[in-house]
Amino acid sequence: MPAILKKKYWLIPAILIVGIFSYSWIFRAAKIDYNTEVKPILNKKCITCHGGVRKKAGFSLLFREEAIDKTESGKAAIIPGDPDHSEFMRRLTSKNPEERMPYHDSPLNEKEIATLRQWIR
């Protein structure tokens, strides 16, 4: 094999490493601050029915442990790291007014939903 080809073998791993680093840096998830971004949404839209003593459907958002615990249905409403399979997100984005949360109230806006989705992720 010619010497010139042997010298270029290091390029492939170098390009892969740079590519992986660049991808992870560009597409990294923005960190969501619970106290300043998530809690205000939950307090405004959810805690009335799903917090403290009132835990409709056995679901409370008052504490993390309660939020990720099983509900009356037997499954967790929030699956940390998996917003797409979390019942919480399905209910927030449902088009059916009998399923959508907040129930019989105005829906969350796109920014609020995106914030909660990123928080779960």
Side-chain angles (χ1 to χ4, degrees):
M1 181 175 295
I4 191 87
L5 291 177
K6 288 182 182 178
K7 291 181 181 178
K8 291 186 178 183
Y9 279 130
W10 65 271
L11 279 174
I12 294 170
I15 290 170
L16 285 173
I17 290 170
V18 168
I20 291 169
F21 175 76
S22 298
Y23 177 84
S24 64
W25 185 78
I26 291 169
F27 293 104
R28 68 180 177 204
K31 180 92 170 137
I32 298 292
D33 183 68
Y34 178 79
N35 287 325
T36 61
E37 296 176 82
V38 175
K39 195 170 182 177
I41 297 169
L42 300 178
N43 285 344
K44 184 171 109 183
K45 301 281 190 162
C46 310
I47 291 295
T48 303
C49 296
H50 298 287
V53 177
R54 276 190 89 159
K55 290 177 22 171
K56 289 202 172 190
F59 178 57
S60 174
L61 289 161
L62 198 57
F63 300 107
R64 181 182 190 277
E65 299 78 28
E66 292 177 330
I68 62 173
D69 201 8
K70 291 180 181 176
T71 63
E72 286 177 3
S73 70
K75 58 185 200 176
I78 296 176
I79 303 168
D82 194 1
D84 296 330
H85 291 100
S86 294
E87 182 70 9
F88 178 69
M89 290 307 303
R90 189 186 75 74
R91 292 294 188 109
L92 291 176
T93 58
S94 177
K95 301 298 181 208
N96 181 341
E98 294 301 313
E99 287 188 341
R100 187 191 45 78
M101 295 293 148
Y103 189 64
H104 291 293
D105 203 349
S106 59
L108 276 66
N109 63 45
E110 289 180 24
K111 184 178 186 296
E112 291 169 327
I113 289 172
T115 298
L116 294 174
R117 184 179 303 281
Q118 185 61 37
W119 169 63
I120 293 171
R121 186 173 289 122

